């Protein structure tokens, strides 16, 4: 792999999952692969699992990792080309990214959408500017529209928990939230489920929360959550703001929160969430603390997803 931004960068999803699962069995088998190599991790917004798991993955491969919270510790970056920089920005991404490319062998960056301008967010201007000017492989730690490391983790976790011959039914359900959240995780989850092709994939949400079709693809859309959850084997819970009425919260119906009652007609479905999660808003305590929750296992698998990605780029 030359970079890791979306499924388009992955020659084979099943093979990458195999690599990750093998690292879980033997984390240090390639401990010399990253020797004398440095991973730069650049954050424009907060992170817990993505930051820590990627640092651990780099260490397992023998890499050094440098973390820089550019939103708090760096100069204000100008992302637009050809501008007169007489405003609040201090440094242009042309120089900043190019300098980072001098310091690091791989650059991993986490950006975030403004949720104000759909066109700007969906062109992925921020991460694409780093790709354009860094001159080294770039790994997405989440971007305006996608979170590929999380979604690779989700594929790993589903495969790890599914031993039957038939395809599992995987339902991604919208849930309420107190603030407007981006579409990155649901976009990415849908993209990876479609690319993997090993599930019966359904998306359920209130009307008006349809995702961009380039990500949802041919997934079945169901506006009745109870109907969608029937016979589900995995339930992936996530909130997102409206794509159509961009960045807006158009529904606050608490009945969409996932509870044990909501799961009663599933096949004892395993419940997943990328975390952090608002308890008793998105998912009820009884579910998160119950036997069907695999959110901690899912979070643990973030290390192996990152390690698989970094190793493939290093080998390339």
């Amino acid at each position: 792999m030359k970079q890791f931004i979306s499924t388009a960068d992955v020659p084979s999803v099943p093979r990458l999952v195999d690599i990750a699962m093998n690292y879980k069995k033997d984390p240090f088998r390639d401990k010399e692969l990253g020797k004398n190599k440095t991973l730069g991790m650049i954050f424009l917004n907060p992170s817990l699992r993505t930051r820590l798991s990627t640092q651990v993955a780099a260490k397992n491969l023998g890499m050094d990792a440098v973390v820089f919270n550019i939103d708090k510790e760096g100069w204000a970056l100008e992302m637009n080309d050809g501008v007169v920089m007489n405003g609040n920005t201090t440094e242009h991404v042309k120089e900043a990214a190019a300098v980072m490319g001098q310091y690091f062998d791989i650059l991993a960056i986490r950006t975030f959408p403004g949720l104000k301008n759909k066109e700007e967010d969906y062109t992925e201007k921020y991460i694409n500017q780093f790709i354009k000017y860094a001159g080294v492989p770039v790994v997405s730690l989440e971007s305006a529209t996608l979170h590929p490391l999380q979604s690779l983790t989700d594929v790993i976790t589903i495969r790890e928990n599914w031993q039957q011959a038939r395809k599992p039914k995987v339902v991604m359900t919208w849930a309420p939230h107190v603030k407007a959240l981006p579409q990155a995780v649901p976009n990415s989850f849908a993209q990876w489920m479609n690319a993997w092709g090993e599930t019966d994939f359904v998306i359920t949400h209130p009307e008006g929360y349809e995702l961009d079709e380039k990500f949802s693809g041919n997934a079945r859309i169901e506006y009745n959550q109870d109907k969608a959850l029937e016979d589900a084997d995995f339930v992936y819970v996530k909130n997102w703001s409206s794509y159509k009425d961009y960045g807006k919260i158009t529904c606050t119906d608490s009945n969409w929160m996932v509870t044990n009652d909501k799961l009663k007609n599933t096949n004892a479905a395993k419940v997943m969430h990328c975390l952090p999660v608002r308890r008793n808003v998105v998912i009820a305590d009884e579910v998160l603390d119950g036997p069907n929750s695999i959110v901690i296992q899912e979070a643990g698998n973030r290390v192996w997803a990152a390690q698989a990605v970094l190793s493939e780029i290093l080998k390339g």
Side-chain angles (χ1 to χ4, degrees):
M1 292 192 301
K2 304 296 185 184
Q3 62 180 21
F4 186 73
I5 310 300
S6 75
T7 54
D9 300 308
V10 180
S12 169
V13 171
R15 178 178 175 275
L16 193 59
V17 172
D18 285 339
I19 292 168
M21 294 180 77
N22 285 333
Y23 277 129
K24 187 170 185 177
K25 295 174 186 174
D26 186 5
F28 306 112
R29 64 188 180 91
D30 284 330
K31 62 183 180 181
E32 299 293 318
L33 182 63
K35 186 177 181 180
N36 298 326
K37 302 288 186 182
T38 304
L39 171 69
M41 298 175 60
I42 311 302
F43 290 88
L44 279 78
N45 63 295
S47 172
L48 189 154
R49 279 149 294 276
T50 300
R51 172 175 172 168
L52 297 179
S53 62
T54 307
Q55 283 183 274
V56 172
K59 182 177 181 294
N60 289 348
L61 294 169
M63 297 187 80
D64 289 322
V66 175
V67 177
F68 185 46
N69 296 302
I70 200 168
D71 59 326
K72 301 177 183 67
E73 302 165 343
W75 302 112
L77 289 184
E78 177 59 58
M79 291 292 179
N80 295 304
D81 292 332
V83 298
V84 177
M85 289 177 57
N86 59 359
N88 295 326
T89 55
T90 307
E91 182 166 15
H92 200 284
V93 68
K94 282 186 178 182
E95 288 78 50
V99 167
M100 292 176 193
Q102 297 292 303
Y103 300 154
F104 306 127
D105 299 282
I106 299 174
L107 182 63
I109 183 164
R110 183 179 179 104
T111 68
F112 210 67
L115 290 180
K116 303 294 184 185
N117 186 320
K118 181 195 295 186
E119 288 70 28
E120 181 173 282
D121 287 344
Y122 272 69
T123 59
E124 290 284 13
K125 179 173 68 178
Y126 278 36
I127 199 164
N128 281 331
Q129 289 289 66
F130 278 90
I131 292 169
K132 183 177 179 180
Y133 296 118
V136 295
V138 173
V139 172
S140 171
L141 301 177
E142 188 175 14
S143 67
T145 67
L146 292 171
H147 197 347
L149 280 176
Q150 178 63 54
S151 300
L152 172 57
T153 299
D154 299 332
V155 176
I156 294 165
T157 306
I158 291 171
R159 205 176 100 177
E160 201 172 39
N161 284 276
W162 189 251
Q163 308 300 327
Q164 299 186 39
R166 68 174 177 85
K167 289 183 177 183
K169 180 179 178 181
V170 177
V171 179
M172 178 170 70
T173 179
W174 180 92
H177 203 280
V178 297
K179 60 186 291 188
L181 297 182
Q183 299 96 35
V185 170
N187 280 347
S188 196
F189 186 77
Q191 184 187 63
W192 281 75
M193 287 297 105
N194 290 329
W196 187 27
E198 294 298 322
T199 69
D200 173 16
F201 181 47
V202 179
I203 304 174
T204 183
H205 53 71
E207 292 190 48
Y209 279 91
E210 294 80 6
L211 297 170
D212 186 340
E213 290 182 358
K214 72 180 180 183
F215 299 120
S216 58
N218 295 322
R220 178 160 65 89
I221 309 299
E222 177 56 67
Y223 298 117
N224 184 316
Q225 187 188 39
D226 291 332
K227 183 177 179 180
L229 292 175
E230 288 178 5
D231 300 321
D233 299 297
F234 294 88
V235 177
Y236 196 90
V237 189
K238 188 69 181 82
N239 171 268
W240 61 91
S241 59
S242 174
Y243 171 74
K244 182 179 179 181
D245 193 4
Y246 192 63
K248 299 295 191 298
I249 297 174
T250 60
C251 177
T252 57
D253 187 354
S254 62
N255 286 324
W256 280 81
M257 180 177 71
V258 173
T259 63
N260 279 341
D261 187 61
K262 288 283 185 179
L263 299 173
K264 64 184 179 182
N265 291 323
T266 69
N267 289 324
K270 300 293 186 183
V271 176
M272 303 173 67
H273 190 282
C274 63
L275 302 182
V277 61
R278 299 255 183 168
R279 283 174 170 261
N280 302 309
V281 175
V282 177
I283 306 177
D285 279 346
E286 62 186 13
V287 175
L288 282 168
D289 298 328
N292 289 23
S293 173
I294 54 173
V295 298
I296 302 302
Q297 176 188 354
E298 180 184 2
N301 283 337
R302 292 295 306 272
V303 173
W304 320 119
Q307 193 164 338
V309 168
L310 293 175
S311 70
E312 286 299 280
I313 291 175
L314 287 169
K315 289 172 184 175

